[in-house]
Amino acid sequence: MIIILFGPPGAGKGTQAERLVERYNLKQLSTGDMLREAINRGSELGKRAKSIMDRGELVSDEIILSMISEKLIDTEGSGFIFDGFPRNLQQAKALDEILNKLELKLDIVIEIIVKDEVLISRIENRVRESKNARSDDNAEVLKNRLNVYHQSTEMIKPYYLEKGKLVKIDGMRGIEEVSRDIEGHLSKIRKKLDP
Ligand code: ADP
């Protein structure tokens, strides 16, 4: 099963991805987490990415695609969840090519819908609690991350809609309810894959 979790910053993609990993034995591929790991390791790639991330801009497609391709080689487990990727149309098209070459097929793109005002207050809370404080979690950078989302990332919606892969979920409810909705969609797919 190959799933894309799609939605604005703070929509809850990471939380939902973790649950799906446990439930379905999938591997989570979060490009944001991979970049933060590279930064923590102090690698060359991490150094290049840090200032871009701290401004809320997109890291180059080249870096992102090479990270993703590397991870897709290991096909142990029941599939993949992409979280935070693809983030623009070029990445979406490149992903199709990579999957084609590996003879893998994308099953579903799940859009978690959350209004900008709600996102802003969620991230403000995250900062206040400073549990998962991130250097790009502040009002100004978040505004830019939201702009980038609306300008570049949302452009991939028509692409997946046309392919009949896009489903929408209301992400402004509790974690459990969102989870249940997602699992409802996934169980339909699983039935199709293995009736
Ligand atoms: P969020 O979804 O909360 O904004 P992420 O952890 O997904 O957080 O991403 C954090 C930052 O990492 C982004 O603002 C961007 O700079 C960079 N990034 C993550 N994924 C990608 C991607 N697929 N393409 C380009 N940049 C990315």
Side-chain angles (χ1 to χ4, degrees):
M1 199 154 53
I2 299 189
I3 304 167
I4 294 175
L5 274 188
F6 171 77
K13 301 184 292 285
T15 309
Q16 295 299 335
E18 270 171 37
R19 299 186 142 223
L20 296 174
V21 164
E22 291 224 339
R23 190 153 185 329
Y24 298 107
N25 184 29
L26 302 170
K27 203 180 282 165
Q28 179 186 3
L29 300 182
S30 159
T31 42
D33 287 349
M34 291 177 205
L35 290 167
R36 281 183 288 275
E37 272 161 30
I39 293 174
N40 290 338
R41 278 201 309 273
S43 73
E44 219 23 68
L45 185 155
K47 280 180 201 147
R48 274 204 279 160
K50 175 144 179 40
S51 59
I52 302 169
M53 291 169 75
D54 283 348
R55 290 197 305 273
E57 306 288 337
L58 294 186
V59 172
S60 78
D61 292 343
E62 186 204 339
I63 289 183
I64 297 292
L65 291 167
S66 75
M67 286 190 328
I68 285 284
S69 313
E70 243 170 68
K71 301 275 180 182
L72 281 174
I73 297 168
D74 177 12
T75 51
E76 225 176 87
S78 318
F80 297 100
I81 305 178
F82 295 104
D83 150 17
F85 170 86
R87 249 179 162 90
N88 59 31
L89 203 51
Q90 294 89 286
Q91 290 182 9
K93 289 182 178 166
L95 174 62
D96 272 348
E97 278 173 30
I98 298 171
L99 291 178
N100 262 338
K101 269 196 207 130
L102 296 170
E103 295 182 6
L104 297 170
K105 195 182 110 292
L106 174 69
D107 293 295
I108 191 169
V109 180
I110 299 171
E111 180 187 5
I112 305 179
I113 301 174
V114 180
K115 281 192 199 136
D116 284 10
E117 306 90 84
V118 178
L119 297 169
I120 291 168
S121 70
R122 280 186 186 178
I123 293 198
E124 278 169 356
N125 281 335
R126 195 149 88 182
V127 175
R128 221 170 292 128
E129 290 169 13
S130 79
K131 265 201 310 237
N132 304 309
R134 278 171 32 178
S135 57
D136 58 349
D137 268 356
N138 61 64
E140 205 182 315
V141 176
L142 175 62
K143 227 184 267 168
N144 199 33
R145 279 155 63 200
L146 282 174
N147 280 339
V148 170
Y149 177 76
H150 292 308
Q151 276 166 20
S152 311
T153 308
E154 278 196 305
M155 300 305 151
I156 70 176
K157 280 201 296 193
Y159 181 73
Y160 289 120
L161 195 64
E162 212 169 279
K163 291 177 182 288
K165 301 278 183 198
L166 187 73
V167 302
K168 292 168 191 276
I169 298 252
D170 174 2
M172 287 170 285
R173 298 165 303 158
I175 293 174
E176 292 295 336
E177 285 162 286
V178 174
S179 237
R180 214 174 306 130
D181 252 15
I182 293 178
E183 282 173 16
H185 283 290
L186 295 186
S187 64
K188 276 185 232 158
I189 288 176
R190 283 160 61 85
K191 267 188 212 133
K192 262 192 240 159
L193 289 177
D194 188 12

